[in-house]
PDB file of all heavy atoms in Angstrom:
ATOM      1  N   MET B   1    -158.839 131.469 257.469  1.00 74.00           N
ATOM      2  CA  MET B   1    -157.773 132.090 256.708  1.00 74.00           C
ATOM      3  C   MET B   1    -156.962 133.017 257.609  1.00 74.00           C
ATOM      4  O   MET B   1    -155.730 132.929 257.613  1.00 74.00           O
ATOM      5  CB  MET B   1    -158.416 132.939 255.536  1.00 74.00           C
ATOM      6  CG  MET B   1    -157.403 133.291 254.514  1.00 74.00           C
ATOM      7  SD  MET B   1    -156.744 131.827 253.708  1.00 74.00           S
ATOM      8  CE  MET B   1    -155.185 132.447 253.028  1.00 74.00           C
ATOM      9  N   ILE B   2    -157.692 133.825 258.403  1.00 81.00           N
ATOM     10  CA  ILE B   2    -156.971 134.710 259.328  1.00 81.00           C
ATOM     11  C   ILE B   2    -156.183 133.851 260.308  1.00 81.00           C
ATOM     12  O   ILE B   2    -155.083 134.169 260.658  1.00 81.00           O
ATOM     13  CB  ILE B   2    -157.990 135.607 260.064  1.00 81.00           C
ATOM     14  CG1 ILE B   2    -158.602 136.593 259.085  1.00 81.00           C
ATOM     15  CG2 ILE B   2    -157.319 136.349 261.198  1.00 81.00           C
ATOM     16  CD1 ILE B   2    -159.744 137.412 259.628  1.00 81.00           C
ATOM     17  N   ARG B   3    -156.839 132.744 260.764  1.00 80.00           N
ATOM     18  CA  ARG B   3    -156.182 131.887 261.714  1.00 80.00           C
ATOM     19  C   ARG B   3    -154.883 131.330 261.117  1.00 80.00           C
ATOM     20  O   ARG B   3    -153.864 131.259 261.770  1.00 80.00           O
ATOM     21  CB  ARG B   3    -157.088 130.719 262.010  1.00 80.00           C
ATOM     22  CG  ARG B   3    -157.638 130.832 263.423  1.00 80.00           C
ATOM     23  CD  ARG B   3    -158.281 129.552 263.806  1.00 80.00           C
ATOM     24  NE  ARG B   3    -159.685 129.777 264.007  1.00 80.00           N
ATOM     25  CZ  ARG B   3    -160.492 128.768 264.268  1.00 80.00           C
ATOM     26  NH1 ARG B   3    -160.098 127.528 264.288  1.00 80.00           N
ATOM     27  NH2 ARG B   3    -161.771 129.002 264.467  1.00 80.00           N
ATOM     28  N   MET B   4    -154.949 130.982 259.825  1.00 80.00           N
ATOM     29  CA  MET B   4    -153.764 130.434 259.191  1.00 80.00           C
ATOM     30  C   MET B   4    -152.640 131.438 259.091  1.00 80.00           C
ATOM     31  O   MET B   4    -151.485 131.113 259.390  1.00 80.00           O
ATOM     32  CB  MET B   4    -154.128 129.961 257.791  1.00 80.00           C
ATOM     33  CG  MET B   4    -152.969 129.421 257.067  1.00 80.00           C
ATOM     34  SD  MET B   4    -153.411 128.292 255.762  1.00 80.00           S
ATOM     35  CE  MET B   4    -151.970 128.406 254.766  1.00 80.00           C
ATOM     36  N   LEU B   5    -153.006 132.709 258.741  1.00 82.00           N
ATOM     37  CA  LEU B   5    -151.994 133.754 258.679  1.00 82.00           C
ATOM     38  C   LEU B   5    -151.337 133.995 260.036  1.00 82.00           C
ATOM     39  O   LEU B   5    -150.125 134.100 260.144  1.00 82.00           O
ATOM     40  CB  LEU B   5    -152.623 135.058 258.134  1.00 82.00           C
ATOM     41  CG  LEU B   5    -153.005 134.975 256.648  1.00 82.00           C
ATOM     42  CD1 LEU B   5    -153.659 136.293 256.247  1.00 82.00           C
ATOM     43  CD2 LEU B   5    -151.781 134.703 255.770  1.00 82.00           C
ATOM     44  N   LEU B   6    -152.198 134.032 261.067  1.00 85.00           N
ATOM     45  CA  LEU B   6    -151.679 134.176 262.404  1.00 85.00           C
ATOM     46  C   LEU B   6    -150.755 133.120 262.818  1.00 85.00           C
ATOM     47  O   LEU B   6    -149.653 133.319 263.323  1.00 85.00           O
ATOM     48  CB  LEU B   6    -152.834 134.267 263.394  1.00 85.00           C
ATOM     49  CG  LEU B   6    -153.438 135.624 263.644  1.00 85.00           C
ATOM     50  CD1 LEU B   6    -154.619 135.491 264.596  1.00 85.00           C
ATOM     51  CD2 LEU B   6    -152.427 136.588 264.225  1.00 85.00           C
ATOM     52  N   PHE B 295    -151.456 122.533 259.045  1.00 88.00           N
ATOM     53  CA  PHE B 295    -152.683 123.255 259.175  1.00 88.00           C
ATOM     54  C   PHE B 295    -153.714 122.724 258.184  1.00 88.00           C
ATOM     55  O   PHE B 295    -154.828 122.493 258.549  1.00 88.00           O
ATOM     56  CB  PHE B 295    -152.404 124.731 258.882  1.00 88.00           C
ATOM     57  CG  PHE B 295    -153.620 125.629 259.054  1.00 88.00           C
ATOM     58  CD1 PHE B 295    -153.966 126.109 260.282  1.00 88.00           C
ATOM     59  CD2 PHE B 295    -154.435 125.863 257.953  1.00 88.00           C
ATOM     60  CE1 PHE B 295    -155.057 126.933 260.432  1.00 88.00           C
ATOM     61  CE2 PHE B 295    -155.568 126.671 258.086  1.00 88.00           C
ATOM     62  CZ  PHE B 295    -155.901 127.195 259.329  1.00 88.00           C
TER      63      PHE B 295
END
Side-chain angles (χ1 to χ4, degrees):
Chain B
M1 197 61 202
I2 292 174
R3 252 192 243 177
M4 176 157 158
L5 289 178
L6 271 178
F295 182 87

